């Protein structure tokens, strides 16, 4: 009986050792060699450099030049001055001549204030650091 238990123990010990050895070999086969690791790191850095270069090129292509920014600000300013003059004219027509243009005066005043706010925000965002 003791001999059967010892044989069983040896067989299970050999089976367990075989399983552990197979697991260790499979894990080691999954690990890349050291030389492959440096090539992989080198390839990764080249990929990141290429991606960053493409990103910079795309950002540069999408950016607005200063001349275009100044042109937009000028057009916003022209439209703003026009709206302010119309609002003033409607206010004078209403106040001095008694014309019933209160609603138009308030609409143009609201448009003038909205455009003035947009003009100020765009100016600060685009030109604040000078």
């Amino acid at each position: 009986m003791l001999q059967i238990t010892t044989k069983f123990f040896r067989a299970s010990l050999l089976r367990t050792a075989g399983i552990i050895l197979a697991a260790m070999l499979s894990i080691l086969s999954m690990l890349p060699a050291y030389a492959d690791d440096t090539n992989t790191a080198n390839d990764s850095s080249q990929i990141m450099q290429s991606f960053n270069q493409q990103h910079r090129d795309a950002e540069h292509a999408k950016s607005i030049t200063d001349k275009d920014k100044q042109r937009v600000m000028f057009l916003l300013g022209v439209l703003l001055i026009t709206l302010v003059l119309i609002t003033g004219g409607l206010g004078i027509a209403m106040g001095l001549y008694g014309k019933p243009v209160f609603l138009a005066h308030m609409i143009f005043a609201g448009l003038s204030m909205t455009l003035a706010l947009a003009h100020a925000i765009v100016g600060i965002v685009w030109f604040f650091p000078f």
Side-chain angles (χ1 to χ4, degrees), residues 3-80:
Q3 192 176 27
I4 296 172
T5 310
T6 308
K7 284 183 182 179
F8 179 73
F9 179 70
R10 283 184 193 161
S12 66
L13 185 63
L14 286 174
R15 199 174 312 130
T16 306
I19 292 172
I20 291 173
L21 182 63
M24 288 176 66
L25 287 175
S26 66
I27 289 173
L28 287 175
S29 69
M30 289 182 206
L31 295 176
Y34 181 72
D36 292 341
D37 192 31
T38 58
N39 288 338
T40 305
N42 199 9
D43 291 343
S44 297
S45 67
Q46 287 176 351
I47 290 170
M48 286 303 293
Q49 287 174 355
S50 173
F51 176 76
N52 287 336
Q53 183 63 34
Q54 288 176 353
H55 182 67
R56 275 188 240 118
D57 292 344
E59 286 298 316
H60 182 67
K62 288 191 290 186
S63 66
I64 301 173
T65 64
D66 283 343
K67 187 173 183 173
D68 290 337
K69 289 178 182 180
Q70 291 169 353
R71 187 175 295 136
V72 168
M73 287 296 287
F74 177 77
L75 292 174
L76 285 174
V78 168
L79 185 59
L80 179 60

Side-chain angles (χ1 to χ4, degrees), residues 80 83-84 87 107-119:
L80 179 60
L83 286 175
V84 167
T87 303
I107 290 172
F108 278 99
L111 290 173
S112 298
M113 291 303 298
T114 304
L115 190 58
L117 184 63
H119 186 76

